[in-house]
Amino acid sequence: DAGVIQSPRHEVTEMGQEVTLRCKPISGHDYLFWYRQTMMRGLELLIYFNNNVPIDDSGMPEDRFSAKMPNASFSTLKIQPSEPRDSAVYFCASSPEAAPETQYFGPGTRLLVL
Amino acid sequence: GNSVTQMEGPVTLSEEAFLTINCTYTATGYPSLFWYVQYPGEGLQLLLKATKADDKGSNKGFEATYRKETTSFHLEKGSVQVSDSAVYFCALSDQRGSQGNLIFGKGTKLSVKP
């Protein structure tokens, strides 16, 4: 089975531009998580969904960040407008209903905002 | 609030050396404890877990025992290999009503030299 798929793998953009990160979770998984990883702050949970419904978005840094999950096989994380401090690796992870803490991570999107 | 503290790296060992990476936690209730591993350029993978006090999680020669009395979950391996070079993250389940939410430590980088 395919694992969690993220696209793009790398993104370079200029400050002020809109950035959209995409994630396809493992089929059958009911939980989807978005994380951000930086050297300074480590791994931070941004938001997570259960059955396509956002459950906890307290980690979303500010209104410039938004996430959607229109169906069970697709989610997006959007940053508008982007800023240099948003530069990080963004991970998507999914997990099954029976073991929500056993998370399967995608390879990540490395974002650089100039 | 709940938190995880890991020993700071990097840790550099020779092949076949004994490995210990310390992890302590602060939590209310009875969280589950996890070790995740991140190989270069990849997302995190679950290495092992323990769900209650005195449980021992094990996988690929790695072990960790859930010690409630010392609030610790130290990772050990008797003989490391070059292929074990990675970043190791200790995590606990945040049971404040947000099922599936994990709190990660900052990670410990392990380098194994041949």
Side-chain angles (χ1 to χ4, degrees):
Chain A
D1 284 339
V4 175
I5 298 173
Q6 290 187 247
S7 64
R9 292 295 307 275
H10 302 274
E11 177 82 29
V12 180
T13 190
E14 292 188 346
M15 183 174 63
Q17 296 298 305
E18 178 180 293
V19 174
T20 299
L21 311 181
R22 297 173 176 80
C23 175
K24 177 178 169 56
I26 293 173
S27 178
H29 280 189
D30 302 290
Y31 285 84
L32 184 139
F33 305 83
W34 282 102
Y35 290 91
R36 178 171 68 176
Q37 185 179 43
T38 61
M39 290 293 292
M40 290 297 294
R41 299 174 67 92
L43 195 64
E44 303 173 279
L45 176 66
L46 300 177
I47 185 172
Y48 80 95
F49 297 81
N50 180 218
N51 293 320
N52 313 338
V53 177
I55 302 301
D56 185 351
D57 65 355
S58 60
M60 295 286 263
E62 48 198 275
D63 292 345
R64 297 185 297 107
F65 286 69
S66 62
K68 295 182 179 180
M69 192 165 186
N71 57 62
S73 59
F74 184 65
S75 177
T76 60
L77 178 67
K78 187 175 293 187
I79 308 173
Q80 166 64 16
S82 58
E83 296 182 3
R85 61 192 167 124
D86 301 331
S87 298
V89 181
Y90 290 81
F91 288 104
C92 176
S94 69
S95 61
E97 188 75 40
E101 298 145 347
T102 304
Q103 298 178 15
Y104 295 77
F105 281 70
T109 295
R110 186 173 295 275
L111 173 65
L112 178 61
V113 183
L114 301 174
Chain B
N2 293 354
S3 65
V4 173
T5 302
Q6 288 182 238
M7 63 186 286
E8 290 195 16
V11 174
T12 302
L13 296 173
S14 297
E15 208 164 21
E16 300 183 3
F18 184 86
L19 168 71
T20 299
I21 299 178
N22 290 339
C23 171
T24 56
Y25 67 90
T26 302
T28 55
Y30 303 95
S32 296
L33 301 174
F34 305 81
W35 277 101
Y36 277 77
V37 58
Q38 183 179 27
Y39 297 103
E42 299 182 9
L44 281 70
Q45 305 174 22
L46 178 64
L47 181 60
L48 54 84
K49 68 178 183 181
T51 57
K52 61 183 187 296
D54 300 325
D55 265 3
K56 177 186 284 188
S58 62
N59 186 26
K60 299 181 181 179
F62 291 89
E63 293 184 339
T65 301
Y66 190 145
R67 301 283 189 202
K68 190 170 184 295
E69 64 275 14
T70 55
T71 62
S72 65
F73 193 56
H74 304 322
L75 182 68
E76 296 182 336
K77 187 174 185 182
S79 176
V80 294
Q81 305 300 312
V82 173
S83 57
D84 294 326
S85 298
V87 181
Y88 293 81
F89 293 87
C90 186
L92 64 78
S93 57
D94 185 357
Q95 297 180 311
R96 294 172 297 164
S98 297
Q99 193 170 10
N101 193 358
L102 291 174
I103 295 175
F104 287 90
K106 291 194 177 297
T108 302
K109 184 175 182 179
L110 170 67
S111 294
V112 181
K113 306 299 184 185

